[in-house]
Amino acid sequence: MTDPVVVAHRLSKSYGAHVVVDAVDFAIPRGKCYGFLGPNGAGKTTTLRLLLGLTPKSGGELEAFGLPVAAHAAQIRRRIGVVPQSDNLDPDFTVAENLRVYASYFALRGEGLDARIDELLEFVALGDRSDARTHTLSGGMQRRLTIARALINEPELVVLDEPTTGLDPQARHVIWGRLAELRASGTTLILTTHYMEEAERLCDELVIMDNGRVLARGSPATLIADHVEPEVIEIRGENSIARCDPLNCRTERMGSSLYCYTRDPAPLLAALHDTHAQFIHRPSGLEDVFLKLTGRELRD
Amino acid sequence: MPGAAQAAAINWNPWRVPRLRRGAFAVWRRNVLVWRRLVIPSLLLNFGEPTLYLLGLGFGLGHFIGEMGSMPYITFLASGIIASSAMTTASFEGMYSVYTRMVPQKTYEAILATPLEVEDILAGELLWCATKSLFSGCAILTVAALLGVVHGWQALLVLPVVLLIGLCFAAPALVMSAISPGYEFFNYYFVLVITPMFIVCGVFYPVSTLPYLVQDFVHLLPLTHAVALTRPIISGQELQQPLLHLLVLTGYTGAFYYAAVVLIRKRLIN
Ligand SMILES: Nc1ncnc2c1ncn2[C@@H]1O[C@H](COP(=O)(O)OP(=O)(O)OP(=O)(O)O)[C@@H](O)[C@H]1O
Ligand SMILES: [Mg+2]
């Protein structure tokens, strides 16, 4: 095991009396994909801004590449690529110019740069759009360009704040593919998301956050094993729910569905078959863990 | 590590003294690249406005006025307009364009994710605003030379002075951007600061014609010092107290640049 890329110890951030990140601990191993999962306002973006030295912490310790962030923020940012929550591509430039100008902020220029830009545009499947203005790109293309831009300085660590929010399934799958390739090539990834599928597919390890606190951590599989029963039967509609008796299950109500978590689904399944109730039987997933830990009521 | 803790404390202090670093040129270059695309309309503005002023006011009013300050009125006017144009050009760029990049366009947010810091961005912007002033100064000088109102090659010395005037007015414009909640806010600054200076700082008539009390106040304003440099340089007269004027312009630049850095640090790094 090499040293972790990022280590936080009781990291805290408050705005006035509002504690937004509350004594959070994490250690992000090199070459892995590390996820921050949490509902709106959980403190995910703030955690990333702390890591980039874009906001002063209120307490605790935070190190990246073995250096305290506060004292070495610019030096640390040189080695990180950033995909912000909302795209901030430069609308005054074309696709290729966006990369070239961004490279200049890292003082990168010269022979290799043009080749690197072509390579990155190929990597995110924008090779044929290099002269397009950014406002003519679809949301998915803009996101891919932002990812290419984050890679211009050949970062050891790439930080992605909700990389696929608002994209259609095709666009999302393209991005997942690219991120998996990046990780396979040894780049460390940190990503925030509300998408369980995204976290389950990409993350080696993740923390579930809410109200600035870490509620649970581990690999997707261990989180599922530790926090919920392995199988769930979701019964849909009031009539169906009324007709059954969830034997030896932990049940939760959400909207017009009843979720029955269990280690032994056979008795309930048999009962349901007899009543012609509407139901789905599936293995438990991260979403079940997430909902159990963060509660089912609406946020904001 | 007490050293690191101390460095951290200094790093977060918005009042820490800005360093001038090479990164500023990357921000300046970005703006040059955008400008290149809009070069024709920009030049039209740079040449069109002063030409109209000089032809219309210079010849029109000049016909009745004849001489002012021992020079033809059109020379008097041209040597004032070159300073006031540097002022308005830098002020516009430092407010509308800088605010656009900082707030709606989120260009600074993107740049701050790189090794650059607020002080680099603002130093680049300051230099860019002054560069635009320089473009406008070159245009006016060309028009004035073509109209035969420039006395000799020494007039080229006005260009570095115009650059300094641009810096001097860009810096307070950055401060306005730093505290601005929206574009409308800039109207106050134009109506309360820029336009009054345009009227009273000696662009159209000598400051010495104003009441004494007003003169004392007008001598505190940067545009007065700017005109006090550009006028003798263009007309070939002897410079009076050039060091004082340069010092005032530099002082305004430094003080307002520092204020802008502190305010934008507080606004963006929070
Ligand atoms: N500059 C700020 N000033 C005051 N409060 C802030 C500031 N930035 C964030 N907050 C508050 O901190 C909390 C956490 O915000 P943050 O953006 O980190 O959440 P998030 O997990 O990224 O949420 P989302 O999923 O909506 O992006 C929110 O309640 C937010 O209102
Ligand atoms: Mg967020």
Side-chain angles (χ1 to χ4, degrees):
Chain A
M1 266 303 280
T2 52
D3 287 341
V5 179
V6 180
V7 182
H9 177 62
R10 300 196 61 76
L11 179 64
S12 300
K13 172 75 190 176
S14 327
Y15 288 107
H18 184 189
V19 183
V20 171
V21 176
D22 193 358
V24 162
D25 290 289
F26 54 83
I28 299 178
R30 189 174 290 277
K32 293 280 158 56
C33 179
Y34 200 89
F36 288 89
L37 201 62
N40 289 130
K44 306 182 293 295
T45 299
T46 306
T47 305
L48 299 185
R49 291 187 69 221
L50 286 164
L51 165 60
L52 294 168
L54 295 176
T55 183
K57 68 187 182 208
S58 313
E61 315 292 330
L62 180 62
E63 283 190 1
F65 310 114
L67 303 167
V69 169
H72 300 90
Q75 213 177 320
I76 286 167
R77 287 199 297 270
R78 185 170 290 286
R79 298 162 71 176
I80 301 184
V82 180
V83 176
Q85 183 163 355
S86 59
D87 285 318
N88 53 20
L89 294 166
D90 202 322
D92 292 321
F93 292 118
T94 64
V95 166
E97 284 169 343
N98 254 281
L99 299 188
R100 188 163 300 114
V101 169
Y102 211 68
S104 76
Y105 303 143
F106 289 91
L108 303 172
R109 57 176 66 89
E111 299 286 295
L113 184 59
D114 285 339
R116 172 121 188 104
I117 288 171
D118 289 343
E119 191 186 308
L120 285 174
L121 289 180
E122 287 304 326
F123 179 67
V124 296
L126 286 173
D128 54 345
R129 299 303 295 267
S130 65
D131 294 326
R133 292 293 286 273
T134 52
H135 62 84
T136 65
L137 302 180
S138 70
M141 288 172 167
Q142 293 195 11
R143 212 64 188 138
R144 270 141 54 202
L145 180 56
T146 305
I147 292 173
R149 190 184 70 176
L151 300 175
I152 194 78
N153 55 325
E154 303 186 52
E156 296 160 55
L157 167 65
V158 180
V159 168
L160 306 109
D161 199 354
E162 300 187 20
T164 66
T165 297
L167 303 186
D168 64 33
Q170 286 86 347
R172 189 172 295 159
H173 274 275
V174 173
I175 288 180
W176 287 343
R178 291 305 176 265
L179 297 183
E181 268 181 63
L182 267 180
R183 202 204 60 169
S185 71
T187 310
T188 309
L189 304 180
I190 298 179
L191 79 96
T192 77
T193 185
H194 326 270
Y195 294 123
M196 306 306 135
E197 190 188 353
E198 182 161 286
E200 258 179 285
R201 268 168 189 265
L202 293 176
C203 295
D204 300 295
E205 217 175 301
L206 52 93
V207 298
I208 297 181
M209 277 183 91
D210 196 11
N211 294 319
R213 292 216 184 86
V214 171
L215 302 180
R217 66 179 78 231
S219 68
T222 49
L223 278 168
I224 295 165
D226 288 353
H227 293 276
V228 290
E229 296 74 5
E231 296 184 44
V232 53
I233 298 163
E234 182 186 339
I235 306 171
R236 294 189 166 164
E238 301 298 338
N239 286 340
S240 307
I241 295 170
R243 266 183 265 149
C244 71
D245 174 22
L247 302 158
N248 55 39
C249 293
R250 180 176 66 81
T251 62
E252 295 213 37
R253 213 30 215 271
M254 185 154 75
S256 59
S257 295
L258 185 73
Y259 291 76
C260 309
Y261 293 96
T262 180
R263 293 182 189 286
D264 175 21
L268 178 57
L269 282 175
L272 284 169
H273 275 295
D274 296 340
T275 61
H276 305 287
Q278 267 194 16
F279 69 93
I280 294 171
H281 175 209
R282 59 173 173 81
S284 299
L286 214 44
E287 179 145 16
D288 301 296
V289 179
F290 186 78
L291 291 174
K292 180 180 176 198
L293 293 175
T294 63
R296 288 171 191 268
E297 72 279 14
L298 193 63
R299 294 311 170 125
D300 298 333
Chain B
M1 278 197 297
Q6 202 173 20
I10 293 165
N11 243 358
W12 293 127
N13 180 0
W15 295 93
R16 71 188 184 273
V17 178
R19 294 151 300 169
L20 293 176
R21 301 182 302 180
R22 285 219 334 254
F25 287 106
V27 177
W28 177 81
R29 259 192 76 239
R30 175 213 171 269
N31 293 337
V32 175
L33 292 174
V34 178
W35 179 82
R36 269 204 331 208
R37 182 167 283 141
L38 306 166
V39 69
I40 305 268
S42 303
L43 287 181
L44 194 70
L45 190 72
N46 283 162
F47 278 96
E49 240 188 21
T51 311
L52 289 174
Y53 264 110
L54 293 185
L55 288 178
L57 288 182
F59 283 126
L61 273 180
H63 179 74
F64 296 99
I65 295 169
E67 290 215 334
M68 192 177 272
S70 343
M71 63 185 87
Y73 187 63
I74 192 165
T75 308
F76 186 90
L77 189 67
S79 57
I81 292 278
I82 202 165
S84 69
S85 285
M87 168 181 79
T88 35
T89 306
S91 303
F92 263 99
E93 191 69 18
M95 289 191 275
Y96 294 98
S97 308
V98 163
Y99 185 80
T100 301
R101 293 192 271 274
M102 177 167 69
V103 182
Q105 227 166 273
K106 292 193 273 183
T107 308
Y108 295 175
E109 181 192 273
I111 298 178
L112 287 174
T114 74
L116 300 195
E117 298 188 21
V118 168
E119 61 216 66
D120 305 311
I121 297 177
L122 293 190
E125 292 286 16
L126 196 71
L127 190 59
W128 166 244
C129 295
T131 306
K132 282 199 88 172
S133 294
L134 185 62
F135 293 155
S136 114
C138 290
I140 297 171
L141 195 61
T142 310
V143 173
L146 291 175
L147 294 175
V149 303
V150 168
H151 292 259
W153 290 105
Q154 97 289 337
L156 283 175
L157 273 181
V158 85
L159 295 178
V161 172
V162 163
L163 192 71
L164 177 61
I165 299 171
L167 293 172
C168 167
F169 287 100
L174 294 181
V175 169
M176 296 313 288
S177 284
I179 60 176
S180 175
Y183 292 105
E184 297 74 22
F185 184 73
F186 300 133
N187 294 347
Y188 293 110
Y189 183 69
F190 274 105
V191 171
L192 298 175
V193 179
I194 297 294
T195 312
M197 278 202 274
F198 188 51
I199 309 278
V200 303
C201 289
V203 175
F204 298 102
Y205 52 85
V207 171
S208 58
T209 55
L210 292 165
Y212 283 121
L213 222 69
V214 181
Q215 276 188 44
D216 286 346
F217 173 67
V218 166
H219 280 295
L220 300 175
L221 300 175
L223 186 60
T224 310
H225 296 273
V227 173
L229 286 167
T230 56
R231 182 153 292 143
I233 293 177
I234 300 250
S235 65
Q237 292 177 341
E238 202 184 326
L239 280 160
Q240 307 286 328
Q241 299 180 295
L243 238 64
L244 169 74
H245 304 311
L246 290 172
L247 212 67
V248 170
L249 297 180
T250 316
Y252 269 100
T253 308
F256 280 94
Y257 167 69
Y258 177 57
V261 170
V262 172
L263 291 167
I264 294 190
R265 278 178 185 152
K266 288 187 176 182
R267 182 166 181 158
L268 299 182
I269 311 292
N270 61 9

